[in-house]
Amino acid sequence: MVAEGGSAGGLLMGAITNLAPDRFAGILAAVPFVDALTSILDPDLPLTVIEWDEWGDPLHDPEVYDYMATYTPYENVADDASAYPKILAVTSLNDTRVLYVEPAKWVARLRDAGAPVRLKIEMQAGHGGVSGRYESWRERAFEIAWILEVLRLSDAENAETTAAPAPVES
């Protein structure tokens, strides 16, 4: 099974990766909010202060800080993450909601801990990904190809199973 989520759903992807790495073959995290604690501690970021109503204010409330630290993906990467599922983190350079540094920092920590992880940074995209129908389709095709590879359903990995079936003798 491959789990997929983006933005705050990307935070969920990071959390389930840390909590139950053996339950998934792969994790696709799109513009993942995986360094939430660091970001929400910075009131100069565009969404931080307005998000305090929903998330709490870890900058001024130690209880909120301690609680967030229990589940935020970046802070909870295992020291040995070699048993983690394959991870694809996709982010965008021009995202003002989840800055590209969050998944980049998370991926660096995952790699240091031995996790099998790939990072793709879209250079012309924002929080919603690339614009344009064909570019969007191309991006989704890349993600689906990765999922098929992880699930070992790609043509390259199953050449003998994708060949034409033998004729049936009557």
Side-chain angles (χ1 to χ4, degrees), residues 42-160:
D42 185 351
D44 293 330
L45 292 176
L47 297 176
T48 296
V49 175
I50 60 174
E51 292 289 334
W52 284 346
D53 287 339
E54 183 177 343
W55 296 80
D57 176 2
L59 185 61
H60 301 102
D61 187 340
E63 202 172 303
V64 171
Y65 181 96
D66 291 342
Y67 178 65
M68 286 185 72
T70 67
Y71 69 81
T72 51
Y74 178 76
E75 283 78 16
N76 290 289
V77 170
D79 291 335
D80 178 7
S82 60
Y84 275 31
K86 293 179 180 177
I87 300 166
L88 173 60
V90 179
T91 190
S92 300
L93 185 64
N94 299 309
D95 189 343
T96 57
R97 293 182 181 193
V98 178
L99 303 178
Y100 73 93
V101 296
E102 282 197 38
K105 184 177 166 184
W106 179 58
V107 164
R109 179 168 272 181
L110 286 164
R111 285 181 178 159
D112 286 346
V117 61
R118 290 184 189 174
L119 174 65
K120 181 177 183 189
I121 301 175
E122 289 293 341
M123 303 308 280
Q124 301 295 323
H127 192 67
V130 295
S131 62
R133 177 179 13 172
Y134 298 114
E135 287 303 312
S136 180
W137 290 350
R138 203 175 337 274
E139 176 64 21
R140 189 61 185 153
F142 172 83
E143 294 168 354
I144 291 171
W146 180 83
I147 290 170
L148 292 174
E149 179 185 309
V150 167
L151 296 175
R152 299 178 183 267
L153 298 173
S154 68
D155 286 343
E157 293 186 9
N158 292 305
E160 62 275 351

